Amino acid sequence: MEALKSANLLKSVTINALILGESGVGKQSLASHIVSAPIVDASAFNELLALIETNSSLIVKNFHKITNYKKLKIALDVHKTRIIATSNLPIGEALMDEFFSLKVVIPPLRERMEDVIPLMEKFAQEACMMFDGEFGEAPSLEEIVPDLSKNCYSLRRSVYNAYLMNSFGEEEILAMMERFLSQRIGGRNDYRELLYLFDVPMIKSGYAKFGSQLAISEKFGLNRNTLRKKINDYKDRLKID
């Protein structure tokens, strides 16, 4: 909310600003909210200089990748171009003072959990449109484990994956397994070493549905000692207490 307040303030003034934050937190979206302008990557320095000559405002992403800050400053001063820049990395105070009047910091998603569900709802709507409802019954958001490791990038992927997996039938699953295995087989003990690909999801789904080793062994038709040995062999992959 603090970042949004700053962004709304920047819409009414013509100062340069820097938006900082990890990859995937929404820096470019916030920059576009502030000003409607072409977006250019700072690593394409010649393109950046050319756009400065023809635009009154620019969004410059990856500002920390600028190769010649002195040349950039001269171009901005000559053409009176306003920039809203984004960066994954902090820049020095001297550069901050030279180029920008305001700094906006967007925290990572893990520090603003209140944003996760609304974003998941947004990505779920995207998935519905993208896959045109070809996944049967839509998965519940409560069933999706949000991946926040790369902020919105990984969160969107976790939602899309849930919708995709909900659409898979037996043929798709077998085809995926065949492709996966064809890239890994070739040793002398492939069957034994890759058997976990079947055992682990079976045991995990058994725990989720039946709740105990006794129930699992009865439903699966497995000897309890055999099941216990499998669970011990796969304990690092199962992550079951």
Side-chain angles (χ1 to χ4, degrees):
M1 291 305 296
E2 290 301 318
L4 187 58
K5 288 177 184 177
S6 298
N8 288 331
L9 171 64
L10 285 165
K11 293 179 75 171
S12 61
V13 295
T14 56
I15 60 176
N16 294 344
L18 176 67
I19 304 173
L20 290 172
E22 294 179 6
S23 178
V25 295
K27 300 185 297 298
Q28 189 170 307
S29 296
L30 193 66
S32 296
H33 175 74
I34 295 168
V35 62
S36 178
I39 300 170
V40 58
D41 196 305
S43 59
F45 191 66
N46 289 334
E47 181 184 356
L48 171 58
L49 293 178
L51 286 171
I52 288 173
E53 294 181 9
T54 55
N55 291 273
S56 59
S57 297
L58 282 178
I59 295 172
V60 182
K61 62 181 185 179
N62 297 318
F63 188 79
H64 58 281
K65 294 183 178 180
I66 294 290
T67 54
N68 190 328
Y69 286 104
K70 183 177 180 180
K71 195 170 183 179
L72 174 65
K73 187 67 168 64
I74 292 172
L76 292 174
D77 289 343
V78 167
H79 299 285
K80 309 300 181 186
T81 304
R82 179 195 187 190
I83 61 169
I84 303 297
T86 71
S87 178
N88 298 346
L89 302 174
I91 66 171
E93 288 299 321
L95 284 176
M96 182 68 206
D97 293 340
E98 184 176 7
F99 284 94
F100 304 107
S101 301
L102 184 66
K103 176 173 67 177
V104 179
V105 179
I106 305 182
L109 278 181
R110 61 183 176 274
E111 294 179 12
R112 47 188 174 105
M113 298 299 294
E114 68 277 6
D115 289 342
V116 172
I117 293 300
L119 284 167
M120 291 178 72
E121 291 172 347
K122 168 183 167 59
F123 298 148
Q125 291 175 357
E126 289 179 6
C128 286
M129 294 178 64
M130 180 174 293
F131 305 129
D132 196 25
E134 295 181 359
F135 38 74
E137 184 179 350
S140 167
L141 292 183
E142 288 76 17
E143 298 172 355
I144 301 173
V145 179
D147 180 359
L148 305 182
S149 60
K150 295 184 179 178
N151 297 295
C152 283
Y153 295 138
S154 55
L155 180 61
R156 177 185 270 114
R157 181 176 179 177
S158 62
V159 174
Y160 278 32
N161 280 346
Y163 274 76
L164 273 174
M165 287 189 289
N166 219 46
S167 71
F168 290 160
E170 184 176 301
E171 289 186 6
E172 288 89 353
I173 293 171
L174 289 173
M176 287 178 61
M177 288 295 294
E178 180 181 349
R179 181 177 179 183
F180 180 88
L181 291 170
S182 66
Q183 297 171 352
R184 285 160 177 79
I185 57 177
R188 299 184 62 182
N189 298 303
D190 286 339
Y191 183 83
R192 185 182 298 108
E193 291 178 358
L194 294 170
L195 191 59
Y196 76 89
L197 292 170
F198 173 80
D199 282 347
V200 169
M202 277 291 289
I203 294 170
K204 291 183 78 169
S205 61
Y207 266 107
K209 189 164 186 176
F210 308 125
S212 70
Q213 289 187 31
L214 177 60
I216 293 172
S217 64
E218 290 176 352
K219 297 293 184 180
F220 287 3
L222 276 178
N223 180 280
R224 288 182 66 187
N225 290 332
T226 301
L227 176 62
R228 192 176 297 112
K229 183 180 185 305
K230 286 181 177 290
I231 291 172
N232 185 63
D233 289 343
Y234 303 135
K235 60 184 177 182
D236 292 337
R237 298 182 186 274
L238 288 168
K239 298 178 181 177
I240 296 174
D241 297 329

